[in-house]
Amino acid sequence: MTGAGSTLTITNARVQSNLGNQFGGGLYLADVTTSLIDAEIINNDVSGSGGGVFQDSGTLTMDGDSLISGNDALAGPGGGFYLNANTTTTISGTVSNNTSTSSGGGIMHDGNTLTIDGGTISGNGALATGGGIRVGDNRVASVINGSLIDGNMAGAQGGGICISDIGGTLTVADSTISGNVADFNNDNDGNGGGINNLGAGAVNITNTTIAGNMAVDGGGIYNDDEGGSSGNLTLATVAVSNNMAKRSGGGLFQRSAVGTVTLTDVNFDGNTANGMAATNGGGGIYNDGFALNLGGSVSVTNNAATAGSGSGGGIFNNTGGTLTVTGATVTGNTANRAGGGIEDRSGVGLGISLTNVTLSFNKALTGPGNGGGLHVTGAGDVSLSGGTVSGNTASSEEIGR
């Protein structure tokens, strides 16, 4: 349906089992104001983009009783929705079990603004990026008011949500991002199980749980610098728990070389990194060449890097990185090779500063098991002032090298 000023309301109706040639298997909307009320758009296919709906400009509102499900974009992005050009879209219903051979299994957002307001984006799949949602270049997306991004899969980056390396803004508030998978085809090319900020984007997350997601690196979140751009990340009152990385950064993988990272009242708990090499690990956090600051409201607890020579059960500070921890808690973490609490591999003139930190009851196991609380590999500086270092155990060296 096309035409500026046109309106379309679908109430208690189903759009089902249609096949589109290029855009919109179920619906094609251009400059239309659309309302979906207790509507179902299911099992439609398109040879191009937008298996369920292709929205090209205009406004679309989907109420909480509506369903977009089982649609497929067979040769393009946007399994459920493709949002294009000057679109404003609000989704309060369910977008589930849609697929794309490209990006945006549930939603490809290349429009103006997208708001998931109490909606559910679940069980969608993309062969490339953004199993649940792909946020395009410089686009704005919000996930708010009890929304759920769950069980989505991407073949590459961003199992739940992926933000373009050109830039974009993602706001997540009072919601849950859980059980999403990047690299579902197991080719070791998929980071950011819950969220991948490819670079230059701004991600702001508050009062949210990020749990049970999986990826190669950055099981929960991957903050990248692809193309030389830097991603900005802000977390406030966030639980990052029980996420898994096949290699490094079970909770968070921080790669962005510049940019900003602000963490307030964040708990990294029960995350795991399963990489086998000595440069792998960081069950809670992996800091790859960034100046990372952790304040007193941050806790890193009960995380693990116990496969092979995995190191840094709580935190791994890699080459070129600096880690400043003030008043934070790092407890109950476990590594196999070294650094049950913290592993530093930063290099000459770099390293770690710990002030009034609680570094307790961390373990380095048997591979060889150096530095129950803290371990430094090679050159690197450590400053320790105040705080508590207690109850850490190692099968070889206790805390230092």
Side-chain angles (χ1 to χ4, degrees), residues 364-365 368-371 394-398:
L365 300 179
N370 294 333
S395 61
S396 182
E397 301 167 347
E398 275 300 310

Side-chain angles (χ1 to χ4, degrees), residues 31-349:
D31 292 315
V32 177
T33 298
T34 304
S35 298
L36 302 180
I37 303 170
D38 196 14
E40 293 184 353
I41 300 175
I42 60 174
N43 301 329
N44 303 283
D45 295 337
V46 67
S47 298
S49 305
V53 179
F54 190 102
Q55 182 189 0
D56 191 7
S57 297
T59 300
L60 184 145
T61 302
M62 175 183 175
D63 81 344
D65 294 319
S66 292
L67 174 68
I68 309 292
S69 183
N71 304 285
D72 301 312
L74 301 175
F81 280 96
Y82 187 103
L83 312 177
N84 190 45
N86 188 29
T87 58
T88 300
T89 307
T90 302
I91 295 173
S92 299
T94 298
V95 179
S96 66
N97 302 313
N98 305 283
T99 63
S100 165
T101 57
S102 178
S103 296
I107 302 169
M108 177 64 208
H109 174 37
D110 208 13
N112 187 11
T113 61
L114 167 66
T115 303
I116 311 299
D117 187 355
T120 297
I121 313 298
S122 65
N124 303 285
L127 288 182
T129 61
I133 303 171
R134 174 67 152 92
V135 180
D137 298 353
N138 298 313
R139 306 306 180 181
V140 177
S142 299
V143 178
I144 59 174
N145 293 336
S147 293
L148 176 65
I149 312 296
D150 179 74
N152 303 285
M153 297 190 297
Q157 321 299 338
I161 304 173
C162 185
I163 301 96
S164 168
D165 62 330
I166 302 300
T169 300
L170 173 67
T171 299
V172 182
D174 305 300
S175 296
T176 299
I177 298 174
S178 61
N180 303 286
V181 177
D183 189 48
F184 71 79
N185 52 10
N186 294 312
D187 65 355
N188 289 325
D189 180 27
N191 301 322
I195 297 173
N196 190 314
N197 185 19
L198 286 174
V203 176
N204 303 285
I205 305 175
T206 59
N207 298 314
T208 290
T209 296
I210 300 172
N213 303 285
M214 298 174 57
V216 176
D217 291 320
I221 303 170
Y222 192 98
N223 196 38
D224 204 353
D225 59 357
E226 191 169 298
S229 301
S230 57
N232 298 313
L233 177 67
T234 301
L235 306 182
T237 315
V238 175
V240 182
S241 62
N242 301 313
N243 301 285
M244 189 274 280
K246 296 179 184 178
R247 194 161 51 202
S248 297
L252 167 65
F253 192 108
Q254 171 57 36
R255 185 176 182 181
S256 180
V258 283
T260 61
V261 175
T262 305
L263 307 178
T264 305
D265 191 19
V266 181
N267 182 19
F268 295 91
D269 183 75
N271 304 286
T272 59
N274 290 330
M276 301 289 287
T279 54
N280 297 155
I285 301 170
Y286 193 95
N287 182 40
D288 193 20
F290 183 76
L292 182 63
N293 296 293
L294 304 180
S297 61
V298 175
S299 61
V300 182
T301 59
N302 305 312
N303 304 284
T306 55
S309 296
S311 301
I315 305 169
F316 193 118
N317 189 44
N318 198 29
T319 305
T322 60
L323 176 66
T324 302
V325 187
T326 306
T329 298
V330 182
T331 64
N333 304 286
T334 306
N336 197 37
R337 172 186 165 270
I342 303 172
E343 166 71 1
D344 179 61
R345 200 181 185 92
S346 56
V348 176

